[in-house]
Amino acid sequence: MEYRLNTGELRAMTPRLRAGDRVILSGTIYTARDAAHKRFFELLDQGKELPLPLKDAVIYYAGPTPGQQGMVVGACGPTTASRMDAFAPRLLDLGLGAMIGKGERGSAVVEAIVRNGACYFAAVGGAGALIARCIKTVEVIAFEDLGCESVKRMTVEDFPLTVAIDSTGGNLYESGRAAYRTES
């Protein structure tokens, strides 16, 4: 299936999404990579608020490069998501609605996705310059000293994604391999 969704309706639609579905996403997302996630945990451990509203938010594991030729960012491809696996379960338990990255996730993350009715989207790796065309606005909202890895609020339009892990635990990385496995 293919869905055109706004980030504001994503949580309500998540139970319908299945691994392998395509989603064309528009709305507000936030970028954060491992350095920002470490700082999130420092803030949480100190009882402080995060610099973004976590409830139903979408975090894109990316570090966009500076814009050029009239674009708000240069390249903005996904980072390997497993680098955030140590952080994801806690953020999901605190209300994170979805994550965007590339590559497989560990079992603790999959369990947290199911437990919280969330999902994990895969973005196309190696296509950062093409993805940048979907980004309409960018604003650094935290950790500016991290440069391209600072936390940014972005407005995206028609951002192409694939549901990699759905809210029931359906996992495209497992089902995709199984579909091509041959018996000896």
Side-chain angles (χ1 to χ4, degrees):
M1 298 281 306
E2 182 170 298
Y3 297 90
R4 286 192 164 277
L5 299 175
N6 187 286
T7 54
E9 63 189 345
L10 187 57
R11 180 62 86 171
M13 289 296 294
T14 297
R16 295 184 193 171
L17 301 177
R18 292 295 170 257
D21 287 348
R22 286 186 32 94
V23 172
I24 308 300
L25 189 65
S26 297
T28 301
I29 64 174
Y30 299 88
T31 63
R33 289 177 42 160
D34 21 356
H37 278 73
K38 283 176 125 175
R39 291 195 185 173
F40 287 165
F41 270 47
E42 290 169 4
L43 290 171
L44 290 170
D45 290 345
Q46 295 169 9
K48 296 181 180 176
E49 296 224 1
L50 294 181
L52 62 116
L54 203 53
K55 177 94 173 99
D56 298 336
V58 178
I59 293 181
Y60 180 29
Y61 303 140
T65 62
Q68 49 190 319
Q69 301 175 1
M71 296 184 69
V72 296
V73 297
C76 192
T79 296
T80 302
S82 62
R83 292 176 25 204
M84 272 54 73
D85 278 5
F87 308 106
R90 184 175 181 187
L91 296 178
L92 288 161
D93 289 343
L94 291 171
L96 180 64
M99 302 154 292
I100 303 169
K102 68 178 181 182
E104 296 182 66
R105 305 306 299 265
S107 60
V109 176
V110 175
E111 291 167 12
I113 289 169
V114 172
R115 179 172 63 246
N116 293 286
C119 67
Y120 167 57
F121 294 107
V124 178
L130 292 173
I131 289 172
R133 294 180 182 172
C134 300
I135 301 168
K136 303 306 176 188
T137 66
V138 175
E139 176 189 4
V140 175
I141 62 167
F143 317 138
E144 190 168 0
D145 61 301
L146 295 178
C148 71
E149 292 193 36
S150 62
V151 177
K152 296 171 184 68
R153 179 177 33 243
M154 300 176 146
T155 302
V156 296
E157 185 177 298
D158 298 335
F159 188 11
L161 301 167
T162 302
V163 178
I165 302 172
D166 65 40
S167 63
T168 68
N171 188 327
L172 186 60
Y173 295 101
E174 292 174 359
S175 62
R177 273 196 292 277
Y180 290 98
R181 203 172 288 138
T182 58
E183 291 186 33
S184 300

